[in-house]
């Protein structure tokens, strides 16, 4: 896996078992491992084969965004993406400090994959392609949970998917409503690769995601929204812009399992309310946007998408300078 970087943001100690696992395994796979800390990170973080960036070290980075990002925000992970770009990454993998890799995590990753394809327009509960359990991904539009079943096309020889989401076993990424009301499925079936075509909406997260170079600009995590929605809002922007370029988003079998960090489910619920109320609406608005095809229009298309989010007050207006700093940094690095 040449020119591959693994990026995590964490305030855990170097004794964290996931961090230690990745620090041990990454050198064997020629993967560079970056951890972005925050204000709550322990002082003197030291873990062999891990490039740790404390707040002070982050502020010395040659990125505009390093000076404008606020502290205590998951979006500081953006700096890890920029660091990987600066080092010449062709592939960036991201996960979190409570997701353990399986052996399959280290398989070769390519943007063109043999897969089954979903061409239906509308909301696709991708989890139901991998299990018969009543389960849905965090960020899914709840009003579409009872939509009809999905028909999968035959296996396609190759579909271009520069954004790829892996599932997670044992404790999948579901919303607080699901966790409060239902048991989580422990293991997904192995259904293989499934790509979503234009108009097929399904949220994806930042917990087990692979990005290839052409899609790097779409990695941007917004700051001026709730913690539980930052990667979900990003996923909708990324999908909308991806379709304009003829890209599909791939979902694949679980290659991590989660032993979830401690959470307050009621706090998660509160943070997810903007999604419960607005996911369906904002995606309808994104679909109406007049976006231009081509890599040269990628940043303008992103701005139009974030303008829709800001217009609906799902992201604060204070996001603009941060987004502009990200665009400036990416333009210089890519």
């Amino acid at each position: 896996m040449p020119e591959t970087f693994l990026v995590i943001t964490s305030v855990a100690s170097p004794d964290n078992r996931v961090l230690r696992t990745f620090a041990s395994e990454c050198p064997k796979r020629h993967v560079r491992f970056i951890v972005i800390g925050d204000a709550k990170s322990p002082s003197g973080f030291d873990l062999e084969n891990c490039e740790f960036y404390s707040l002070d070290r982050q502020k010395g980075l040659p990125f505009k965004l390093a000076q404008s990002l606020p502290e205590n925000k998951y979006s500081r992970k953006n700096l890890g993406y920029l660091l990987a770009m600066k080092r010449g990454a062709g592939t960036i993998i991201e996960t979190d400090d409570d997701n353990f890799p399986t052996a399959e995590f280290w398989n070769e990753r390519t943007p063109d994959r043999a897969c089954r394809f979903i061409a239906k327009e509308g909301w696709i509960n991708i989890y139901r392609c991998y299990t018969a359990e009543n389960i849905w991904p965090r960020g899914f539009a709840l009003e579409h949970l009872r939509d009809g079943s999905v028909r999968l096309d035959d296996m396609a020889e190759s579909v271009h998917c520069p954004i790829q989401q892996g599932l997670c076993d044992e404790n999948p990424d579901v919303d607080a409503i699901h966790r409060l009301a239902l048991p989580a499925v422990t293991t997904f079936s192995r259904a293989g690769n499934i790509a979503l075509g234009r108009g097929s909406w399904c949220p994806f997260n930042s917990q087990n995601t692979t990005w290839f170079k052409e899609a790097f600009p779409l990695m941007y995590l917004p700051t001026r929204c709730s913690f539980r929605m930052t990667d979900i809002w990003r996923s909708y922007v990324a999908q909308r812009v991806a379709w304009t370029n003829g890209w599909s988003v791939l979902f694949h079998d679980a290659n991590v399992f989660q032993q979830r960090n401690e959470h307050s489910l009621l706090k998660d619920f509160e943070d997810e309310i903007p999604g419960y109320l607005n996911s369906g609406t904002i995606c309808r608005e994104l679909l109406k946007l007049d976006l231009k095809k081509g890599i040269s229009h990628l940043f303008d298309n992103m701005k139009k998408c974030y303008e829709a989010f800001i217009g609906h007050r799902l992201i604060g207006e204070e996001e603009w300078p941060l987004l502009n700093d990200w665009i400036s940094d990416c333009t210089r690095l890519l």
Side-chain angles (χ1 to χ4, degrees):
M1 298 171 60
E3 297 183 328
T4 298
F5 284 73
L6 175 67
V7 176
I8 292 178
T9 185
S10 176
V11 295
S13 77
D15 292 330
N16 174 278
R17 289 192 299 150
V18 170
L19 298 182
R20 294 184 71 85
T21 298
F22 281 121
S24 173
E25 294 297 320
C26 280
K28 303 174 187 177
R29 326 288 178 163
H30 307 290
V31 175
R32 301 283 293 274
F33 181 30
I34 294 174
V35 172
I36 300 297
D38 209 331
K40 297 178 182 178
S41 294
S43 59
F45 186 103
D46 184 21
L47 180 60
E48 189 176 3
N49 301 319
C50 168
E51 298 181 50
F52 177 75
Y53 283 80
S54 65
L55 270 182
D56 286 344
R57 193 177 181 193
Q58 291 170 40
K59 292 173 183 177
L61 292 171
F63 310 135
K64 287 187 175 182
L65 196 61
Q67 310 307 318
S68 54
L69 271 176
E71 298 179 6
N72 295 313
K73 294 290 185 180
Y74 186 80
S75 58
R76 296 200 73 84
K77 199 175 191 181
N78 288 321
L79 299 179
Y81 309 150
L82 292 174
L83 274 165
M85 294 180 210
K86 187 175 187 295
R87 307 276 183 81
T91 307
I92 298 176
I93 307 168
E94 60 174 334
T95 187
D96 287 330
D97 62 10
D98 53 1
N99 290 293
F100 289 85
T102 67
E104 291 76 18
F105 184 87
W106 305 104
N107 289 349
E108 182 182 5
R109 300 166 191 250
T110 60
D112 297 297
R113 303 290 294 273
C115 58
R116 288 181 293 171
F117 190 76
I118 297 178
K120 170 189 172 183
E121 292 195 1
W123 285 83
I124 308 297
N125 181 354
I126 199 69
Y127 283 2
R128 296 305 300 273
C129 298
Y130 293 86
T131 179
E133 299 290 336
N134 184 17
I135 188 172
W136 58 91
R138 176 171 56 91
F140 195 85
L142 298 181
E143 64 268 33
H144 291 281
L145 283 177
R146 296 183 182 272
D147 287 2
S149 59
V150 175
R151 184 183 69 83
L152 294 171
D153 289 350
D154 294 334
M155 183 70 74
E157 183 174 337
S158 181
V159 177
H160 190 58
C161 306
I163 306 169
Q164 301 180 6
Q165 168 81 91
L167 272 63
C168 175
D169 279 339
E170 292 197 11
N171 206 327
D173 188 29
V174 295
D175 62 31
I177 289 178
H178 188 283
R179 293 188 187 279
L180 288 164
L182 297 167
V185 67
T186 56
T187 303
F188 288 109
S189 65
R190 281 3 189 197
N193 299 328
I194 300 173
L196 301 190
R198 180 181 178 88
S200 295
W201 294 104
C202 185
F204 63 85
N205 57 47
S206 60
Q207 296 182 1
N208 183 20
T209 317
T210 305
W211 302 77
F212 295 90
K213 188 170 183 176
E214 61 198 303
F216 283 176
L218 301 177
M219 298 186 76
Y220 177 75
L221 289 163
T223 296
R224 303 304 184 182
C225 61
S226 76
F227 161 66
R228 296 288 290 173
M229 297 312 298
T230 178
D231 56 345
I232 302 303
W233 291 155
R234 174 185 72 171
S235 77
Y236 294 143
V237 173
Q239 285 172 84
R240 179 64 185 91
V241 177
W243 299 336
T244 303
N245 290 291
W247 305 339
S248 296
V249 174
L250 185 83
F251 291 81
H252 62 76
D253 293 339
N255 56 1
V256 301
F257 63 93
Q258 185 180 78
Q259 294 183 358
R260 196 174 193 237
N261 292 332
E262 185 177 349
H263 279 247
S264 164
L265 293 184
L266 289 180
K267 180 63 169 65
D268 286 352
F269 175 84
E270 181 181 20
D271 281 352
E272 292 166 3
I273 287 174
Y276 300 144
L277 298 179
N278 296 286
S279 285
T281 299
I282 192 60
C283 288
R284 286 193 297 272
E285 294 301 312
L286 292 177
L287 206 53
K288 295 176 185 177
L289 295 177
D290 181 20
L291 305 186
K292 295 181 179 179
K293 182 178 180 180
I295 296 292
S296 62
H297 298 291
L298 207 59
F299 292 122
D300 287 339
N301 289 340
M302 285 180 66
K303 284 184 174 182
K304 289 180 180 179
C305 290
Y306 279 103
E307 185 175 11
F309 275 96
I310 292 170
H312 283 76
R313 299 183 180 181
L314 301 177
I315 298 176
E317 290 188 2
E318 303 88 351
E319 193 69 39
W320 281 122
L322 299 172
L323 178 60
N324 287 329
D325 284 349
W326 166 265
I327 291 173
S328 176
D329 289 329
C330 285
T331 301
R332 185 166 50 84
L333 295 172
L334 297 175

